[in-house]
Amino acid sequence: MAAPAQVHKDIPYLPAESGGASERHTLDIYVPAVCPAPVPLVVYVHGGAWRTGDKSMFRHVAIGLIEAPANQLAVAVVNYELSTRAADSVRHPGHLDSVAAAVRFLVTDQSYPGRSAVDTSRVHLVGHSAGAHLLMLLALAPHAAFPHMNAVRSVVGIGGIYDILRLLAAYPDYCDFVDMAFSASQHESASPQHAAQSLHAAASHVRFLVVHSTGDELVNADQALAFAPQLVRAGYEDVTLAVRNLGLHDAAIGNREFLRMVAAF
């Protein structure tokens, strides 16, 4: 049986002189095994409470996204800087800066492996949990390092963290990892819920899909149920909220129904 995709691994998205030699600043690109014309690109950003996770853990998501629409998508899976307890560990907006740099690289660089299979004018951002937080924030708040929102067609979040204050109110114990990634003064400003209080003109064309599993045991549905209406109130015209049982928090991203939902969207 033929392989479903060609895989190009460990592509650095930052130049070495800026610290890009780190494995946290690399990505993997999966392109359809048969690709007669450039296809839209999905950029997948993993969760892990801003402190854990690696692109190598999500091959099944990339392959599933390629197979769902029958080889009509390419997928980049991104590593980014993670927070630890070390004094010099990255904190917000360091994770966001990494993700912005990765998407900028994919849109603007002309020579990375698999580039010929990718239509960089049709980029779709898909994030899970903390990854959904980062991608929604990238889309909703102007970022000096990413003036390329015209290339982004949609943003999908599943099991996303959109309001840090709401998260801590529901799960006080989560302060353990939240405090590793954010200062208390950033809890509101670093939340997509806050960023969505006004329309980011450069993202006014973007379509949003906010997905939450009723089986999610780590993040409650209040995050999605509050966030999607806020996007509508801000003036975003194409917002879809999908709440259904896709399994547990970490299992939902590999759920076939979710992968088909994203491919169709």
Side-chain angles (χ1 to χ4, degrees), residues 31 43 61 100 119 242 249:
V31 298
V43 182
V61 176
D119 180 353
H249 184 75

Side-chain angles (χ1 to χ4, degrees), residues 9 65 68 81 87 111 118 186 235:
K9 294 185 176 182
L65 285 168
E81 288 191 273
S111 59
V118 173
Q186 294 175 321

Side-chain angles (χ1 to χ4, degrees), residues 67-135:
E67 290 181 334
N71 294 331
Q72 295 175 23
L73 296 172
V75 182
V77 185
V78 174
N79 268 357
Y80 55 94
E81 288 191 273
L82 300 174
S83 294
T84 70
R85 296 194 184 282
D88 60 349
S89 172
V90 65
R91 303 186 81 187
H92 178 77
H95 331 85
L96 181 62
D97 292 341
S98 292
V99 170
V103 182
R104 181 180 70 243
F105 168 82
L106 289 163
V107 171
T108 63
D109 192 276
Q110 298 297 314
S111 59
Y112 57 81
R115 171 66 179 81
S116 62
V118 173
D119 180 353
T120 57
S121 69
R122 293 185 290 165
V123 176
H124 303 269
L125 308 179
V126 178
H128 173 238
S129 194
H133 163 271
L134 293 171
L135 290 178

Side-chain angles (χ1 to χ4, degrees), residues 144-221:
F146 189 69
H148 308 289
M149 281 307 302
N150 60 312
V152 175
R153 293 287 174 257
S154 69
V155 185
V156 178
I158 177 169
I161 298 169
Y162 308 118
D163 187 333
I164 296 172
L165 290 172
R166 187 185 300 270
L167 182 78
L168 292 174
Y171 306 95
D173 290 348
Y174 284 8
C175 65
D176 178 63
F177 64 78
V178 170
D179 288 348
M180 289 168 58
F182 304 89
S183 66
S185 65
Q186 294 175 321
H187 289 174
E188 181 178 34
S189 62
S191 294
Q193 183 83 22
H194 176 78
Q197 288 184 357
S198 60
L199 181 70
H200 177 200
S204 60
H205 65 284
V206 173
R207 304 171 65 218
F208 292 90
L209 174 59
V210 181
V211 183
H212 198 89
S213 174
T214 57
D216 193 322
E217 80 287 18
L218 298 181
V219 177
N220 63 29

